[in-house]
Amino acid sequence: MASCEEFDWLIDYLTEETENKIDPETVGDALLALSAMHGLGSSTRRLSYATALIRCMGLTRPSRVRHAALRAVSDAREEIASITNGSMPQGMDATLLDELSCVVLAVARPNHDPVVHGNSHPYATFHFDRHCCYARLIFSLAMNEEWHERLTRDGHLEWCISLVDTAQRAHWRWDFGCHLAGIFAHIGPSDKVLFSSSAGC
């Protein structure tokens, strides 16, 4: 298995590309390759990689790039879920994690994108691959108390609830349903207060 350091050059490339006009195909391929790390990279690249992922999920980015970035974040979910205020990687802070939370929701929630018709498009109402990546990510993050509060505040848990009916009509896969059930198992009475007062992203 390749070490995180072996991906440093690819993170450097991604960082440079996201600061300029990007080639969707090349950047999409780079993101898919970086997903193989199942993390945020080496200690010297974590901040730049997290920042690049956030940029790639921006509303103006091509759908292929946004979806590939969501997959990369989902594949790094165990490391991201382990981050707390007391174990923040060097250079990262709560503001960056807040921004990550908001862009992830923007990718997962099609209401923030132009209306698209047809389930074959990655931004149709329900897209199995995109929403399975999202559900796996939120399931892992929801087990971290600090992330759980952030997810509730930003509107992720409300969005997961809204996905149930859509997913049933789309004949959801069992693994997607299991992840949603696991997310709902972490919703407590106190979350209802946050739901009602949350402005979301």
Side-chain angles (χ1 to χ4, degrees):
M1 178 179 289
S3 66
C4 291
E5 287 75 13
E6 292 181 53
F7 290 93
D8 283 356
W9 70 271
L10 193 52
I11 293 175
D12 291 342
Y13 165 79
L14 182 67
T15 300
E16 183 178 350
E17 282 293 298
T18 57
E19 292 175 349
N20 303 293
K21 186 176 181 179
I22 66 173
D23 172 11
E25 292 301 317
T26 305
V27 170
D29 289 344
L31 286 164
L32 293 178
L34 287 166
S35 291
M37 290 191 300
H38 294 282
L40 295 175
S42 64
S43 58
T44 60
R45 297 297 191 282
R46 285 191 190 112
L47 177 59
S48 57
Y49 183 43
T51 302
L53 287 172
I54 290 171
R55 288 175 178 162
C56 286
M57 287 186 283
L59 288 173
T60 61
R61 299 298 188 180
S63 60
R64 183 176 189 271
V65 172
R66 299 183 75 202
H67 190 190
L70 174 62
R71 176 176 170 176
V73 173
S74 182
D75 286 342
R77 59 189 177 275
E78 291 186 10
E79 181 173 350
I80 296 172
S82 70
I83 298 175
T84 65
N85 288 332
S87 63
M88 197 73 69
Q90 184 176 3
M92 297 180 68
D93 56 25
T95 300
L96 185 73
L97 298 182
D98 290 345
E99 190 175 358
L100 178 63
S101 172
C102 285
V103 294
V104 163
L105 182 60
V107 175
R109 189 164 55 185
N111 289 342
H112 279 201
D113 296 284
V115 176
V116 177
H117 302 286
N119 286 332
S120 62
H121 192 282
Y123 282 92
T125 301
F126 185 80
H127 185 270
F128 277 126
D129 290 340
R130 176 163 50 101
H131 283 100
C132 283
C133 281
Y134 175 73
R136 285 194 295 268
L137 172 63
I138 301 306
F139 172 72
S140 295
L141 296 180
M143 290 186 281
N144 174 314
E145 185 176 346
E146 292 176 16
W147 264 108
H148 180 88
E149 183 175 343
R150 181 180 288 111
L151 297 173
T152 306
R153 179 199 66 208
D154 292 343
H156 287 274
L157 301 186
E158 285 181 297
W159 173 241
C160 287
I161 291 171
S162 74
L163 280 176
V164 174
D165 182 58
T166 303
Q168 286 177 327
R169 286 187 278 110
H171 305 294
W172 63 4
R173 295 195 320 221
W174 70 269
D175 54 337
F176 179 73
C178 287
H179 283 116
L180 281 184
I183 292 167
F184 299 151
H186 288 86
I187 298 177
S190 61
D191 295 321
K192 296 177 181 178
V193 176
L194 287 174
F195 282 159
S196 62
S197 62
S198 172
C201 291

